[in-house]
Each structure stands twice: as structure tokens, then as C-alpha cells.
Amino acid sequence: MTAALTVYSGTFMRYALAVQPKNYLLFACHFLNFGAQLTQGYRWTGYWHYGGREKALEEMRRAKSGDVEGVGKEVLGKGKEVLGDVKEKVLK
């Protein structure tokens, strides 16, 4: 469906400008839909072909097995990193 909508939006962007008078509102709608469909396609590809699914399954397995401590340490580490960045920006 994503591929079909990407092709559809890409095609009708051109026709929105080919008619007389040019329909810029229709062009903008198709342009935004084209971008949204490309984003969805990118997310789908990342999940199914570039390790996103395995990562999600691993996180679910760790959560079910009670390895919440490991996940908590990762979150805490990222939180401390973000907090450090915020402190730097605020104190400048």
C-alpha cells in the first residue's frame, strides 16, 4: 500500500501543476503525502531488513525474562547523558 500511495502521490504532484490554473493546494497535499509514504517505507525497511525487528524482539525477550535491571541501566545511562547536555546548554 505504501508503494502504491508513493507512486500515486508522485504522479499526481505533476498533474496538480499541469492543469490550468495550477493547483498549488493539491500539489502541497500530494507532496506531504509523498513524504509521509517515503518515511513509512523507510521505517518498514528498517524494521524488516536492517535489524529493527531483531532489536525489538530482543528487548521484549529481556523484559519478559526479568532482565529489567539491564534495560534500566541503559535508560539511566542515556538519561544521564541527556542531562549533561542540558546542563551544558543551560550554563552557557
Side-chain angles (χ1 to χ4, degrees), residues 8-76:
Y8 172 84
S9 293
T11 302
F12 283 95
M13 272 194 298
R14 185 228 182 275
Y15 287 111
L17 296 178
V19 297
Q20 201 63 13
K22 296 184 184 320
N23 193 338
Y24 293 110
L25 181 60
L26 183 61
F27 175 81
C29 291
H30 285 299
F31 180 78
L32 289 174
N33 189 26
F34 184 76
Q37 295 305 321
L38 284 179
T39 301
Q40 284 299 98
Y42 174 77
R43 291 178 63 211
W44 182 87
T45 304
Y47 183 80
W48 287 104
H49 297 290
Y50 293 110
R53 181 170 185 262
E54 289 78 15
K55 184 179 177 184
L57 290 173
E58 176 65 23
E59 287 177 6
M60 285 175 40
R61 185 196 60 78
R62 284 175 43 190
K64 285 183 181 179
S65 70
D67 188 18
V68 178
E69 186 177 315
V71 174
K73 286 181 182 177
E74 288 179 28
V75 171
L76 183 61

